[in-house]
CSV table of all heavy atoms in Angstrom, one decimal:
chain,number,residue,atom,x,y,z
A,284,LEU,N,10.9,-15.1,-7.3
A,284,LEU,CA,11.5,-16.3,-6.9
A,284,LEU,C,10.7,-16.9,-5.7
A,284,LEU,O,9.8,-16.3,-5.2
A,284,LEU,CB,13.0,-16.1,-6.6
A,284,LEU,CG,13.8,-15.6,-7.7
A,284,LEU,CD1,15.2,-15.2,-7.3
A,284,LEU,CD2,13.9,-16.6,-8.9
A,285,GLY,N,11.1,-18.1,-5.3
A,285,GLY,CA,10.5,-18.9,-4.3
A,285,GLY,C,9.9,-18.2,-3.1
A,285,GLY,O,10.4,-17.2,-2.7
A,286,GLY,N,8.9,-18.7,-2.5
A,286,GLY,CA,8.2,-18.0,-1.4
A,286,GLY,C,7.9,-18.9,-0.2
A,286,GLY,O,8.7,-19.8,0.1
A,287,ILE,N,6.8,-18.6,0.5
A,287,ILE,CA,6.5,-19.2,1.7
A,287,ILE,C,6.3,-20.7,1.6
A,287,ILE,O,6.5,-21.4,2.6
A,287,ILE,CB,5.3,-18.5,2.4
A,287,ILE,CG1,5.0,-18.9,3.8
A,287,ILE,CG2,4.0,-18.6,1.5
A,287,ILE,CD1,6.0,-18.5,4.8
A,288,GLY,N,5.8,-21.2,0.5
A,288,GLY,CA,5.6,-22.6,0.3
A,288,GLY,C,6.8,-23.4,0.6
A,288,GLY,O,6.8,-24.4,1.3
A,289,GLN,N,7.9,-22.9,0.0
A,289,GLN,CA,9.2,-23.6,0.2
A,289,GLN,C,9.6,-23.6,1.7
A,289,GLN,O,10.0,-24.7,2.2
A,289,GLN,CB,10.3,-22.8,-0.6
A,289,GLN,CG,11.7,-23.4,-0.6
A,289,GLN,CD,11.7,-24.7,-1.4
A,289,GLN,OE1,11.0,-24.9,-2.3
A,289,GLN,NE2,12.6,-25.6,-0.9
A,290,ALA,N,9.4,-22.5,2.4
A,290,ALA,CA,9.8,-22.4,3.8
A,290,ALA,C,9.0,-23.4,4.6
A,290,ALA,O,9.5,-24.1,5.5
A,290,ALA,CB,9.6,-21.0,4.3
A,291,VAL,N,7.7,-23.5,4.3
A,291,VAL,CA,6.8,-24.4,5.1
A,291,VAL,C,7.2,-25.8,4.8
A,291,VAL,O,7.3,-26.6,5.8
A,291,VAL,CB,5.3,-24.2,4.6
A,291,VAL,CG1,4.4,-25.3,5.1
A,291,VAL,CG2,4.8,-22.8,5.1
A,292,ALA,N,7.5,-26.2,3.6
A,292,ALA,CA,7.9,-27.5,3.3
A,292,ALA,C,9.2,-27.9,4.0
A,292,ALA,O,9.4,-29.0,4.6
A,292,ALA,CB,8.1,-27.7,1.8
A,293,GLU,N,10.2,-27.0,4.0
A,293,GLU,CA,11.5,-27.2,4.6
A,293,GLU,C,11.3,-27.4,6.1
A,293,GLU,O,11.9,-28.3,6.7
A,293,GLU,CB,12.5,-26.1,4.4
A,293,GLU,CG,13.0,-26.2,3.0
A,293,GLU,CD,13.9,-24.9,2.6
A,293,GLU,OE1,14.2,-24.1,3.5
A,293,GLU,OE2,14.2,-24.8,1.4
A,294,HIS,N,10.5,-26.6,6.8
A,294,HIS,CA,10.3,-26.7,8.2
A,294,HIS,C,9.6,-28.0,8.6
A,294,HIS,O,10.1,-28.7,9.5
A,294,HIS,CB,9.4,-25.5,8.7
A,294,HIS,CG,10.2,-24.3,9.0
A,294,HIS,ND1,10.6,-23.4,8.0
A,294,HIS,CD2,10.6,-23.7,10.2
A,294,HIS,CE1,11.2,-22.4,8.6
A,294,HIS,NE2,11.3,-22.6,9.9
A,295,ILE,N,8.6,-28.4,7.8
A,295,ILE,CA,7.9,-29.6,8.2
A,295,ILE,C,8.8,-30.8,8.0
A,295,ILE,O,8.8,-31.8,8.8
A,295,ILE,CB,6.6,-29.7,7.3
A,295,ILE,CG1,5.6,-28.7,7.8
A,295,ILE,CG2,5.9,-31.1,7.5
A,295,ILE,CD1,4.3,-28.6,7.0
A,296,ALA,N,9.6,-30.8,6.9
A,296,ALA,CA,10.5,-32.0,6.6
A,296,ALA,C,11.4,-32.1,7.8
A,296,ALA,O,11.7,-33.3,8.2
A,296,ALA,CB,11.2,-31.7,5.3
A,297,ALA,N,12.0,-31.0,8.2
A,297,ALA,CA,13.0,-31.1,9.3
A,297,ALA,C,12.4,-31.5,10.6
A,297,ALA,O,13.0,-32.4,11.3
A,297,ALA,CB,13.7,-29.8,9.4
A,298,ALA,N,11.3,-31.0,10.9
A,298,ALA,CA,10.7,-31.2,12.3
A,298,ALA,C,10.0,-32.5,12.3
A,298,ALA,O,10.0,-33.2,13.4
A,298,ALA,CB,9.7,-30.1,12.6
A,299,CYS,N,9.3,-33.0,11.3
A,299,CYS,CA,8.5,-34.2,11.3
A,299,CYS,C,9.2,-35.4,10.7
A,299,CYS,O,8.6,-36.5,10.7
A,299,CYS,CB,7.1,-33.9,10.7
A,299,CYS,SG,6.2,-32.5,11.4
A,300,ARG,N,10.3,-35.2,10.2
A,300,ARG,CA,11.0,-36.3,9.5
A,300,ARG,C,10.1,-37.0,8.4
A,300,ARG,O,9.9,-38.2,8.5
A,300,ARG,CB,11.5,-37.4,10.5
A,300,ARG,CG,12.2,-36.9,11.8
A,300,ARG,CD,13.4,-36.0,11.6
A,300,ARG,NE,14.5,-36.7,10.8
A,300,ARG,CZ,15.5,-36.0,10.3
A,300,ARG,NH1,15.5,-34.7,10.4
A,300,ARG,NH2,16.4,-36.6,9.6
A,301,VAL,N,9.6,-36.2,7.6
A,301,VAL,CA,8.7,-36.7,6.5
A,301,VAL,C,9.3,-36.1,5.2
A,301,VAL,O,9.9,-35.1,5.2
A,301,VAL,CB,7.2,-36.3,6.6
A,301,VAL,CG1,6.5,-37.1,7.7
A,301,VAL,CG2,7.1,-34.8,6.8
A,302,GLU,N,9.0,-36.8,4.1
A,302,GLU,CA,9.3,-36.2,2.8
A,302,GLU,C,8.3,-35.2,2.5
A,302,GLU,O,7.1,-35.4,2.6
A,302,GLU,CB,9.3,-37.3,1.7
A,302,GLU,CG,10.6,-38.1,1.7
A,302,GLU,CD,10.6,-38.9,0.4
A,302,GLU,OE1,10.1,-38.5,-0.7
A,302,GLU,OE2,11.1,-40.1,0.5
A,303,THR,N,8.8,-34.0,2.0
A,303,THR,CA,7.8,-33.0,1.6
A,303,THR,C,8.2,-32.6,0.1
A,303,THR,O,9.3,-32.8,-0.3
A,303,THR,CB,7.9,-31.7,2.4
A,303,THR,OG1,9.3,-31.2,2.4
A,303,THR,CG2,7.6,-32.0,3.9
A,304,ARG,N,7.2,-32.1,-0.6
A,304,ARG,CA,7.4,-31.5,-1.9
A,304,ARG,C,6.6,-30.3,-2.1
A,304,ARG,O,5.5,-30.2,-1.5
A,304,ARG,CB,6.9,-32.5,-3.0
A,304,ARG,CG,7.8,-33.8,-3.1
A,304,ARG,CD,9.2,-33.5,-3.7
A,304,ARG,NE,9.9,-34.8,-3.9
A,304,ARG,CZ,10.7,-35.3,-3.0
A,304,ARG,NH1,10.9,-34.8,-1.8
A,304,ARG,NH2,11.4,-36.4,-3.3
A,305,VAL,N,7.1,-29.3,-2.9
A,305,VAL,CA,6.4,-28.1,-3.0
A,305,VAL,C,5.9,-27.9,-4.5
A,305,VAL,O,6.6,-28.2,-5.4
A,305,VAL,CB,7.3,-26.8,-2.8
A,305,VAL,CG1,6.5,-25.6,-2.6
A,305,VAL,CG2,8.2,-27.1,-1.6
A,306,THR,N,4.7,-27.4,-4.6
A,306,THR,CA,4.2,-27.0,-6.0
A,306,THR,C,3.8,-25.5,-5.9
A,306,THR,O,3.0,-25.2,-5.0
A,306,THR,CB,3.0,-27.8,-6.4
A,306,THR,OG1,3.3,-29.2,-6.3
A,306,THR,CG2,2.5,-27.5,-7.8
A,307,VAL,N,4.3,-24.7,-6.7
A,307,VAL,CA,3.9,-23.3,-6.8
A,307,VAL,C,3.0,-23.2,-8.0
A,307,VAL,O,3.5,-23.3,-9.2
A,307,VAL,CB,5.1,-22.3,-6.8
A,307,VAL,CG1,4.6,-20.9,-6.9
A,307,VAL,CG2,6.0,-22.5,-5.6
A,308,LEU,N,1.7,-23.0,-7.8
A,308,LEU,CA,0.8,-23.1,-9.0
A,308,LEU,C,0.9,-21.9,-9.9
A,308,LEU,O,0.7,-21.9,-11.1
A,308,LEU,CB,-0.7,-23.3,-8.5
A,308,LEU,CG,-1.7,-23.8,-9.5
A,308,LEU,CD1,-1.2,-25.2,-10.1
A,308,LEU,CD2,-3.0,-24.0,-8.8
Side-chain angles (χ1 to χ4, degrees):
L284 300 172
I287 187 69
Q289 184 68 31
V291 166
E293 283 173 11
H294 275 79
I295 292 177
C299 304
R300 317 300 302 163
V301 285
E302 277 192 35
T303 61
R304 293 290 186 269
V305 192
T306 304
V307 180
L308 201 55

